[in-house]
Amino acid sequence: MRFFGEAVQLVGISPSVGQVYGLLYSSPEPLSFSDIFERLDISKGSASQGLNLLRSLGAVQTVAPVDPNGRREYFSPELSLRKLLRGVLDERVNPLTSKSAGRLKRLRLLAGEAQNRDRPFRLDRVQQLETWRRRLKAVVPVLITVLGPKSKK
């Protein structure tokens, strides 16, 4: 579980989310919500948030209930690296490049209003962030194309 906890931190996701995925990944059978928070010794809130995020990323699926009463949802992990990376790009990286334009514009205005010797430094850093954003925005569609079509849900 530690491996997955550390891996998801690379894209700014809480280690507990990686632990939830890691538990599902290492389990031969689908697990219920209760199984997850009990085995990981985490709060119900952390387990719920982790499962919700993993669902939005397409990293887990709800599978047919093993429970004869059908009252519990059971979860299994997505095993395709392509689909996992595609989910992160769609849900995390794409929105970041879209939302950041307005923020960078405000930063540029603030940097331009600076009345001290730091003004050139601040403007240079904003320009660098704008360059990073443009490059990221250009590379994401290429990555999405390389990863293939979006999976059907």
Side-chain angles (χ1 to χ4, degrees):
M1 266 49 80
R2 187 175 180 181
F3 168 80
F4 290 103
E6 292 172 358
V8 298
Q9 284 182 301
L10 294 173
V11 290
I13 297 174
S14 167
S16 64
V17 175
Q19 291 173 330
V20 170
Y21 180 84
L23 177 62
L24 291 168
Y25 183 87
S26 64
S27 175
E29 300 291 328
L31 299 175
S32 71
F33 175 78
S34 297
D35 295 331
I36 293 167
F37 83 83
E38 288 171 2
R39 290 186 191 180
L40 289 177
D41 194 30
I42 60 176
S43 71
K44 287 183 180 182
S46 291
S48 177
Q49 287 178 339
L51 280 170
N52 286 335
L53 178 57
L54 289 168
R55 278 183 186 172
S56 75
L57 296 174
V60 298
Q61 300 89 30
T62 303
V63 295
V66 183
D67 182 2
N69 297 324
R71 293 185 182 150
R72 290 184 177 185
E73 283 185 301
Y74 286 81
F75 304 94
S76 67
E78 174 57 59
L79 300 177
S80 165
L81 183 59
R82 172 180 285 182
K83 290 178 184 176
L84 292 170
L85 290 174
R86 175 74 191 248
V88 170
L89 287 172
D90 284 345
E91 294 293 323
R92 292 294 189 138
V93 179
N94 255 344
L96 175 65
T97 60
S98 299
K99 293 177 185 175
S100 62
R103 293 178 186 151
L104 288 174
K105 187 176 182 179
R106 286 191 297 277
L107 279 175
R108 179 168 283 291
L109 287 172
L110 290 171
E113 292 171 357
Q115 297 296 320
N116 56 32
R117 62 188 170 124
D118 289 343
R119 184 172 185 244
F121 168 80
R122 292 174 194 266
L123 288 169
D124 181 59
R125 290 299 166 96
V126 171
Q127 183 176 354
Q128 185 177 32
L129 288 173
E130 290 168 339
T131 300
W132 289 357
R133 179 187 168 274
R134 275 193 312 276
R135 288 180 180 166
L136 187 58
K137 195 169 181 171
V139 82
V140 166
V142 173
L143 290 173
I144 288 173
T145 301
V146 168
L147 291 173
K150 194 170 189 172
S151 63
K152 297 177 183 175
K153 292 190 179 187

